[in-house]
């Protein structure tokens, strides 16, 4: 690639402690460099806001459950239709759009790196096939272990190294990035028509508790030296009073890693509920934020709900059944052999609904009460709380008390009695928004050493240029300008190439899939374990030799090899 210089960029780069400086950014061969070489191209940004490329640390964009959401909701696929044009395929869909729609819309907003939040190992090929078409973002996928039989048996036997060996082999086989637990133990119980009430109830047939699964997986993850921490969807999602279970889970988390959190808790809005039933349902965001503020080993993402139509999808099968009983809408449920499960149901979040109004408030309350933005990432658990295209409105809500108050005036009138949002005066600044959408994610995922999340020399040239001048805009008042600016970049640059300009894709792009291979000693290679092989042969519908995703199946990939402490 020929070099380019981005001149007069107004840069906010939290990982390099740049709070807003006008500077030039030289780019060469896909990297940010000190010199762009002879005769570089020049783009004069004229003081426009320039940030590292956006990173979404928890989204659902590819894989079997996403695809099932597409074909069970043809009405959703009729929304968001756009004709093909040069360098862009025809697209459709709103909450579960086509793969190309996902990559174009994320790029238009300045996002260059995405983490698929939950990938069943058995469905890994499907996920990677769709990753090939996410051409404008680098991709990763967390691998599900919440109902993994071999893991639960190792936990029951108190064999940490065997549990770690199972994780290492499965992540490597699935070409996954991190370790994901969704309602640990609950998805397995759901296979027999049950669930677990919280973290101390035994999982049927395995005689282990969710607390034990979480504890062992945290230690196994650190033993394997994974770049990302355990990624946890807590038990009891969406139930009144579940904040107590969330607090107990947080409180027992050890501090085991000096470079990042020990536990990443996802879509915490859905886990911050008070009350004993829907009649006295209320916010407990203050208790949750208090715990996060006193424990640096924790990181959370918001899971913000926004009003309107969307589709919920999760490996938490029993939760989706509860939603079905509330909404009486079409519903699907899946069981994945010896591993996990899933459920999908379309929903509508209404301002007129008291519960939905409280949920909307809780997500914002969390972000406003967690003191360190490095510990609270901006997400909607796309598409569960809302499609990711709502991110600009969430940014504006966090930056403007006036905007929050105007929106609060439109929700259910009883909401004020059950939440704290109207009492919170904090307004986030541009720097904090940059942290919550870039720096925090890169640090939490452990990909800063790979050149993600910052604009220092040696970083990947993933850059977002927004059509707004920070020194001329008051976000607390001009929130409409914030929404407009964050909705569509002037330039999105991926690996040094301008891939999107003013919302239009300019090139097909070429992404990289990041995956992790823990190199365990040969004696801990689970493929040599007779018990594991016997179980695989007896219960799985595929041969062990056909199970792993071969590296040749990934079009362009980067393997992160770790040296575990066995």
């Amino acid at each position: 690639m020929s070099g380019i210089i981005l001149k007069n960029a107004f840069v906010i780069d939290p990982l390099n402690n740049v709070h807003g400086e006008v500077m030039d950014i030289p780019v060469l061969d896909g990297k940010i460099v000190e010199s762009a070489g002879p005769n570089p191209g020049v783009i004069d940004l004229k003081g426009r806001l320039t940030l590292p490329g956006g990173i979404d640390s928890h989204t659902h964009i590819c894989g079997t459950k996403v695809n099932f959401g597409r074909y069970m909701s043809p009405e959703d696929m009729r929304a968001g239709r756009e004709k093909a044009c040069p360098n862009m395929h025809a697209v459709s869909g709103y909450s579960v759009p086509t793969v190309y729609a996902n990559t174009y819309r994320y790029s238009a907003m300045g996002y260059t790196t995405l983490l698929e939040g939950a990938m069943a190992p058995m469905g890994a090929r499907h996920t990677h096939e769709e990753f090939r078409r996410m051409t404008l973002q680098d991709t990763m996928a967390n691998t599900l272990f919440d109902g993994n039989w071999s893991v639960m048996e190792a936990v029951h036997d108190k064999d940490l190294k065997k549990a770690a060996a199972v994780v290492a082999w499965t992540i490597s086989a699935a070409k996954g990035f991190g370790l994901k637990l969704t309602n640990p133990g609950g998805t397995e119980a759901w296979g027999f028509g049950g669930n677990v009430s919280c973290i101390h109830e035994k999982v049927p047939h395995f005689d282990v508790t969710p607390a034990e699964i979480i504890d062992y997986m945290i230690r196994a993850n650190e033993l394997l030296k994974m770049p990302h921490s355990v990624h946890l969807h807590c038990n009891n999602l969406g139930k009144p009073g579940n904040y107590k279970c969330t607090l107990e889970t947080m409180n027992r988390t050890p501090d085991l890693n000096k470079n990042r959190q020990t536990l990443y808790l996802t879509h915490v809005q859905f886990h911050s509920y008070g009350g004993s039933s829907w009649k006295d349902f209320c916010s407990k965001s203050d208790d949750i934020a208090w715990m996060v503020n006193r424990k640096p080993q924790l990181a959370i993402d918001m899971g913000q709900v926004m009003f309107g139509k969307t589709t919920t999808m999760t490996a938490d099968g029993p939760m989706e059944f509860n939603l079905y009983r509330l909404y009486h809408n079409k519903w699907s449920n899946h069981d994945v052999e010896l591993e996990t499960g899933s459920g999908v149901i379309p929903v509508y979040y209404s301002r007129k609904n008291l519960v939905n109004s409280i949920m909307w408030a809780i997500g914002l309350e969390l972000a406003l009460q967690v003191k360190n933005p490095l510990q609270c990432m901006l997400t909607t658990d796309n598409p569960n709380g809302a499609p990711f295209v709502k991110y600009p409105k969430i940014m504006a809500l966090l930056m403007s008390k006036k905007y929050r108050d105007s929106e609060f005036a439109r929700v259910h009138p009883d909401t004020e009695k059950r939440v704290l949002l109207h009492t919170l005066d904090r307004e986030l600044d541009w720097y904090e928004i940059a942290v919550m959408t870039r720096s925090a994610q890169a640090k939490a995922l452990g990909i800063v050493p790979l050149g993600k999340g910052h604009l220092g020399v040696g970083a990947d040239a993933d850059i977002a240029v927004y059509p707004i001048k920070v020194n001329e805009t008051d976000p607390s008042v001009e929130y409409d300008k914030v929404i407009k600016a964050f909705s569509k970049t002037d330039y999105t640059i991926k690996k040094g190439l301008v891939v999107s300009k003013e919302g239009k894709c300019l090139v097909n792009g070429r992404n990289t899939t990041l995956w992790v291979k823990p190199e365990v000693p040969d004696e801990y290679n689970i493929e040599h374990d007779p018990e594991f092989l016997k179980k695989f042969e007896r219960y799985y519908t595929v041969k062990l030799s056909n199970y792993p995703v071969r590296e040749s199946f990934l079009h362009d990939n980067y393997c992160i090899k770790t040296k575990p402490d066995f």
Side-chain angles (χ1 to χ4, degrees):
M1 297 180 184
S2 59
I4 59 172
I5 297 177
L6 305 178
K7 293 188 68 68
N8 300 313
F10 186 90
V11 175
I12 297 178
D13 182 10
L15 289 178
N16 287 305
N17 202 30
V18 178
H19 287 254
E21 299 177 19
V22 176
M23 59 178 66
D24 297 345
I25 304 175
V27 173
L28 182 66
D29 295 331
K31 297 286 186 179
I32 295 174
V33 294
E34 293 183 350
S35 172
N39 304 314
V42 176
I43 302 176
D44 189 352
L45 301 184
K46 300 178 180 179
R48 285 170 285 186
L49 175 63
T50 304
L51 304 176
I55 301 172
D56 199 337
S57 56
H58 189 92
T59 183
H60 301 287
I61 47 169
C62 295
T64 52
K65 68 182 180 301
V66 179
N67 207 40
F68 200 87
R70 292 181 183 120
Y71 64 71
M72 74 179 285
S73 299
E75 69 280 5
D76 186 85
M77 297 308 293
R78 286 193 289 269
R81 289 181 293 182
E82 298 177 45
K83 295 180 179 179
C85 61
N87 301 305
M88 296 179 72
H89 293 262
V91 299
S92 66
Y94 174 63
S95 64
V96 277
T98 59
V99 180
Y100 283 117
N102 275 327
T103 196
Y104 298 154
R105 292 171 191 172
Y106 262 117
S107 185
M109 291 166 47
Y111 278 74
T112 55
T113 304
L114 307 174
L115 174 77
E116 165 55 50
M119 175 177 70
M122 279 281 289
R125 277 184 177 80
H126 187 130
T127 303
H128 289 294
E129 284 172 351
E130 294 195 356
F131 277 177
R132 292 184 184 187
R133 277 77 186 175
M134 293 292 299
T135 57
L136 305 179
Q137 290 83 28
D138 289 338
T139 50
M140 302 162 279
N142 277 341
T143 309
L144 288 160
F145 288 92
D146 38 76
N148 187 290
W149 288 17
S150 295
V151 162
M152 289 190 288
E153 288 169 354
V155 172
H156 176 268
D157 296 339
K158 303 188 185 308
D159 191 337
L160 176 62
K161 289 186 176 180
K162 185 171 183 179
V166 173
V167 170
W169 181 84
T170 307
I171 285 181
S172 181
K175 301 299 180 283
F177 180 78
L179 192 166
K180 174 70 180 293
L181 298 175
T182 296
N183 185 16
T187 52
E188 175 60 24
W190 180 237
F192 298 91
N195 197 359
V196 289
S197 59
C198 194
I199 61 174
H200 297 299
E201 183 177 341
K202 297 279 188 178
V203 180
H205 309 293
F206 289 92
D207 197 33
V208 297
T209 66
E212 291 171 322
I213 296 171
I214 295 167
D215 291 350
Y216 269 80
M217 289 296 93
I218 286 174
R219 289 194 287 152
N221 194 79
E222 299 307 317
L223 184 66
L224 295 172
K225 295 187 177 180
M226 300 291 286
H228 185 34
S229 68
V230 167
H231 200 101
L232 177 65
H233 160 138
C234 290
N235 301 91
N236 279 350
L237 181 145
K239 294 182 179 179
N242 65 7
Y243 82 102
K244 294 179 182 178
C245 186
T246 308
L247 286 175
E248 187 174 4
T249 303
M250 290 176 158
N251 194 43
R252 61 186 292 125
T253 302
D255 190 355
L256 300 178
N257 195 300
K258 65 180 181 180
N259 296 318
R260 54 148 171 81
Q261 73 288 340
T262 303
L263 184 63
Y264 180 114
L265 299 99
T266 191
H267 42 64
V268 173
Q269 175 275 134
F270 291 108
H271 302 275
S272 304
Y273 298 166
S276 58
S277 70
W278 297 116
K279 291 182 180 179
D280 60 355
F281 179 72
C282 64
S283 169
K284 286 293 182 179
S285 64
D286 52 339
D287 294 76
I288 300 297
W290 176 84
M291 183 64 77
V292 175
N293 288 334
R294 66 186 289 266
K295 285 192 172 287
Q297 63 265 43
L298 300 175
I300 68 172
D301 67 58
M302 294 167 63
Q304 178 65 33
V305 160
M306 297 293 279
F307 299 114
K309 291 182 179 180
T310 193
T311 303
T312 65
M313 54 184 64
T314 175
D316 193 344
M319 187 282 296
E320 290 288 26
F321 180 64
N322 289 334
L323 269 185
Y324 163 72
R325 293 194 295 180
L326 286 171
Y327 282 92
H328 299 287
N329 202 347
K330 53 190 172 184
W331 163 69
S332 75
N333 191 235
H334 303 257
D335 180 67
V336 182
E337 305 168 19
L338 284 72
E339 295 177 350
T340 185
S342 71
V344 180
I345 181 172
V347 298
Y348 183 88
Y349 296 117
S350 172
R351 296 176 187 273
K352 297 179 181 180
N353 182 289
L354 176 58
V355 169
N356 293 166
S357 296
I358 295 169
M359 294 166 70
W360 170 82
I362 290 173
L364 297 171
E365 290 172 0
L366 287 168
L368 294 169
Q369 292 179 97
V370 171
K371 295 177 182 178
N372 185 354
L374 282 169
Q375 288 183 269
C376 183
M377 280 140 271
L378 192 154
T379 71
T380 59
D381 184 23
N382 170 70
N384 289 289
F388 65 85
V389 292
K390 294 291 186 74
Y391 286 1
K393 288 188 176 181
I394 299 170
M395 297 176 196
L397 286 165
L398 295 174
M399 299 179 83
S400 172
K401 176 73 159 66
K402 181 179 180 181
Y403 184 31
R404 292 199 300 272
D405 288 345
S406 68
E407 290 295 291
F408 197 84
R410 301 172 60 197
V411 302
H412 191 286
D414 291 340
T415 306
E416 185 174 347
K417 304 172 186 176
R418 315 259 188 125
V419 303
L420 303 169
L421 184 61
H422 57 290
T423 70
L424 300 176
D425 295 327
R426 182 183 177 187
E427 294 177 326
L428 302 190
D429 58 26
W430 302 97
Y431 185 89
E432 290 170 311
I433 292 296
V435 173
M436 293 180 69
T437 57
R438 275 107 173 136
S439 314
Q441 279 91 340
K443 188 172 184 293
L445 296 175
I447 56 176
V448 175
L450 301 182
K452 302 295 185 184
H454 69 101
L455 297 176
V457 172
D460 283 357
D462 295 351
I463 305 166
V465 180
Y466 294 97
I468 196 165
K469 294 188 176 181
V470 168
N471 293 332
E472 299 174 8
T473 307
D474 182 355
S476 67
V477 177
E478 299 173 288
Y479 47 83
D480 286 338
K481 290 185 178 180
V482 173
I483 296 169
K484 183 178 179 181
F486 281 124
S487 296
K488 189 182 295 183
T489 62
D490 274 351
Y491 300 96
T492 299
I493 298 170
K494 178 67 186 159
K495 296 179 182 176
L497 190 66
V498 179
V499 296
S500 181
K501 182 178 180 181
E502 298 176 355
K504 293 295 183 182
C505 176
L506 302 182
V507 296
N508 192 35
R510 184 171 178 83
N511 73 340
T512 299
T513 295
L514 308 177
W515 61 284
V516 178
K517 183 179 182 180
E519 297 184 322
V520 302
D522 194 57
E523 61 266 30
Y524 286 101
N525 185 339
I526 204 69
E527 283 190 355
H528 299 163
D529 185 296
E531 185 181 337
F532 180 78
L533 296 175
K534 182 179 177 181
K535 186 187 301 95
F536 210 102
E537 180 69 24
R538 180 175 180 183
Y539 295 113
Y540 269 102
T541 58
V542 298
K543 294 288 186 181
L544 182 66
S545 58
N546 291 331
Y547 186 90
V549 177
R550 304 300 173 189
E551 190 170 347
S552 59
F553 192 81
L554 281 61
H555 71 295
D556 191 9
N557 69 96
Y558 181 82
C559 176
I560 303 168
K561 295 181 180 180
T562 69
K563 298 290 185 182
D565 286 330
F566 272 74

